[in-house]
Amino acid sequence: MNILLIGSGGREHALAWKMTQSEACDQLFILPGNAGTAQCGTNVPLNLLDFPAIKEFSLANNIELCVVGPEAPLVEGIYDFFKNDPALSKINVIGPSKEGAQLEGSKAYAKKFMADLNIPTAAYKEFTPATLADGLSYIETQTPPIVLKADGLAAGKGVLIIEDIEEAKSALEEMLGGKFGAASETVVIEEFLSGIEFSVFVITDGKDYQVLPMAKDYKRIGEGDTGLNTGGMGAVSPVPFVDETLFKKVEDRVIKPTIAGLNSKGITYKGFVFIGLINVNNEPYVIEYNCRMGDPETEVVIPRLKNDLVEIFDAVDKGTLNDIKMEFDERAATAVMLVSGGYPEAYEKGKIISGIDSISDSIVFHAGTKSVDGNILSNGGRVIAITSFGTDFKSALAVSNKNAEVIDFEGKNYRKDIGMDL
Ligand code: AMP
Ligand code: GLY
């Protein structure tokens, strides 16, 4: 079949790399893709929010499966756009409906969903400009740190954790005053939870589900988890501190009620659910839902998946997910992200990347790269993810770090300690 994959990051390169290994994959198109996905299929230089252009392309190229990588088109309703159009409705779209995508697109929606279903999460209240005064009084009753979350998508910058009550009050005023535009017209204030975070990935057809390998990402720019937050400097899978007992709690208290809740609320959801969790004294709490796979988590989760991914997507469409027997590589996987100097603040693009072709003991996934006149150039903050396997995280990291020295570009930066706290 012909497949359209939407997105352009390391996550999409990993999904593309995996789907091309399927016999069912005839032609793979990646929209818009990067220099890495171009080695797996054909990049399509269209805007991923231009749904009419995506429709025209899909019809002209007999697309039968459309896999949506990032959240933006999902939150904008790409699933419904396909399903409501008789010319496109037979295409298998992997992703939730617009309503399902609200689990990521609106923190207030996700909190209410969890509250309705008794899914463990931090206690919260939501405020709007009309209830600013209540919000300010509410903050005064709280013990810092205060967690303030813009309701909508804010490019990963919408969560503020503030130690000082007065500062938190100013931050609430700024947010409700439009700091993050429409995304912060509603602000969720929630209880601070202290613990270690991990992520669970589920694929569902809205009725049944399969659990993918767990992962942990490293969001801070600096070693020892210091400095500014980034999109993710690396990831590991599996997550050794999640033992059977903790996982059973996650499955019984979070995964099953989430899928049952989608059902009982009549929410169409045929795609990935990324559940960000925090382990508080061996009790799992949901920090957030995302309606897609994580990046860079995909770069360790997908290489550990032994199943044919296109077959899994087909089962999502047919409602036969339960018939699939999931099989994973038992080894430890570590992804190290090479980023542009200066990232996550200002950085330069367009640096020539060398050394990729000489790597044979890691999988090199491109993130922000583009191909120009035979050279591969950096084209974003996160540039290359280097994924390696090992009998443990130490040996996997040693290979990724060795290759992080071989691949080079001006200003390259990376963390050498991914997974070393586990
Ligand atoms: P989110 O976008 O909701 O995932 O939040 C971004 C990050 O903020 C999370 O990955 C956590 O590290 C942190 N965070 C969010 N909510 C809380 C909370 N209630 N308690 C402690 N940390 C939090
Ligand atoms: N790595 C976190 C995310 O994809 O949201």
Side-chain angles (χ1 to χ4, degrees):
M1 69 175 83
N2 290 352
I3 304 174
L4 177 63
L5 169 64
I6 294 184
S8 62
R11 167 182 50 213
E12 284 73 26
H13 189 188
L15 291 170
W17 168 85
K18 183 71 181 168
M19 287 196 290
T20 54
Q21 294 168 26
S22 170
E23 285 200 358
C25 177
D26 292 323
Q27 283 195 74
L28 175 64
F29 299 97
I30 311 92
L31 186 156
N34 60 34
T37 64
Q39 294 162 7
C40 305
T42 308
N43 284 350
V44 181
L46 291 175
N47 179 336
L48 50 69
L49 294 176
D50 186 347
F51 296 171
I54 294 174
K55 170 179 175 174
E56 200 178 315
F57 180 86
S58 300
L59 293 176
N61 291 281
N62 301 316
I63 298 300
E64 288 177 72
L65 166 64
C66 173
V67 180
V68 187
E71 64 279 12
L74 292 165
V75 171
E76 288 298 316
I78 194 166
Y79 181 92
D80 311 69
F81 177 84
F82 271 75
K83 295 298 166 181
N84 293 337
D85 186 325
L88 300 173
S89 61
K90 283 205 175 62
I91 297 176
N92 176 16
V93 180
I94 298 298
S97 63
K98 185 170 185 166
E99 174 158 27
Q102 289 296 298
L103 283 181
E104 174 165 3
S106 165
K107 301 272 187 203
Y109 180 97
K111 294 300 279 192
K112 177 159 188 323
F113 179 89
M114 288 185 269
D116 287 352
L117 296 156
N118 251 326
I119 294 171
T121 187
Y124 81 106
K125 282 207 181 320
E126 58 181 270
F127 299 96
T128 62
T131 54
L132 169 64
D134 298 340
L136 297 175
S137 319
Y138 180 72
I139 290 176
E140 286 184 348
T141 66
Q142 299 299 297
T143 314
I146 310 290
V147 182
L148 301 166
K149 298 188 173 184
D151 177 53
L153 295 182
K157 297 190 169 66
V159 176
L160 301 179
I161 299 180
I162 302 180
E163 287 294 337
D164 181 79
I165 295 271
E166 288 309 315
E167 236 178 80
K169 284 163 68 181
S170 317
L172 178 66
E173 269 183 270
E174 278 176 27
M175 287 171 92
L176 291 175
K179 179 170 180 172
F180 299 105
S184 63
E185 275 168 11
T186 296
V187 172
V188 167
I189 303 185
E190 66 177 43
E191 167 199 13
F192 178 82
L193 298 174
S194 181
I196 177 158
E197 288 176 57
F198 62 103
S199 303
V200 171
F201 302 93
V202 172
I203 178 132
T204 182
D205 54 17
K207 175 171 61 79
D208 299 312
Y209 67 87
Q210 292 286 356
V211 183
L212 292 155
M214 275 177 272
K216 175 165 174 41
D217 79 337
Y218 289 79
K219 288 200 175 80
R220 301 295 195 94
I221 186 75
E223 282 165 20
D225 280 331
T226 53
L228 294 174
N229 257 329
T230 70
M233 296 295 290
V236 296
S237 179
V239 182
F241 65 82
V242 184
D243 58 14
E244 245 175 72
T245 317
L246 181 57
F247 181 71
K248 188 160 182 347
K249 289 180 187 172
V250 173
E251 189 153 37
D252 291 345
R253 298 179 195 173
V254 179
I255 301 176
K256 286 182 178 162
T258 297
I259 305 303
L262 292 171
N263 248 304
S264 65
K265 288 173 177 283
I267 300 168
T268 304
Y269 203 119
K270 287 177 174 287
F272 294 104
V273 193
F274 164 167
I275 311 175
L277 294 144
I278 188 160
N279 175 15
V280 183
N281 301 322
N282 286 319
E283 302 298 330
Y285 287 80
V286 177
I287 288 278
E288 64 167 349
Y289 286 110
N290 294 307
C291 61
R292 52 169 174 89
M293 284 298 288
D295 195 351
E297 292 92 329
T298 306
E299 290 94 301
V300 286
V301 170
I302 289 297
R304 290 194 56 222
L305 178 70
K306 289 188 175 170
N307 299 69
D308 180 322
L309 186 57
V310 178
E311 249 172 47
I312 293 179
F313 290 151
D314 205 36
V316 169
D317 191 37
K318 296 196 168 83
T320 54
L321 254 187
N322 262 359
D323 300 344
I324 298 222
K325 186 176 176 307
M326 300 292 277
E327 286 183 85
F328 308 129
D329 191 320
E330 293 303 319
R331 289 175 298 167
T334 297
V336 170
M337 190 64 82
L338 306 183
V339 304
S340 299
Y343 173 80
E345 297 185 289
Y347 58 83
E348 288 177 22
K349 297 183 190 177
K351 306 295 182 194
I352 293 180
I353 306 168
S354 62
I356 296 176
D357 289 343
S358 61
I359 307 290
S360 58
D361 48 357
S362 293
I363 315 169
V364 178
F365 293 122
H366 292 230
T369 68
K370 68 175 178 182
S371 186
V372 177
D373 299 334
N375 285 318
I376 293 176
L377 306 184
S378 65
N379 192 37
R382 297 191 293 169
V383 179
I384 295 273
I386 305 174
T387 298
S388 312
F389 282 108
T391 48
D392 55 21
F393 289 130
K394 199 167 173 212
S395 55
L397 180 65
V399 181
S400 283
N401 280 352
K402 172 187 66 126
N403 290 331
E405 285 303 310
V406 175
I407 300 177
D408 205 18
F409 55 92
E410 194 189 314
K412 173 187 76 183
N413 182 26
Y414 67 98
R415 273 180 67 168
K416 298 182 183 63
D417 66 342
I418 301 302
M420 282 303 92
D421 55 331
L422 296 174

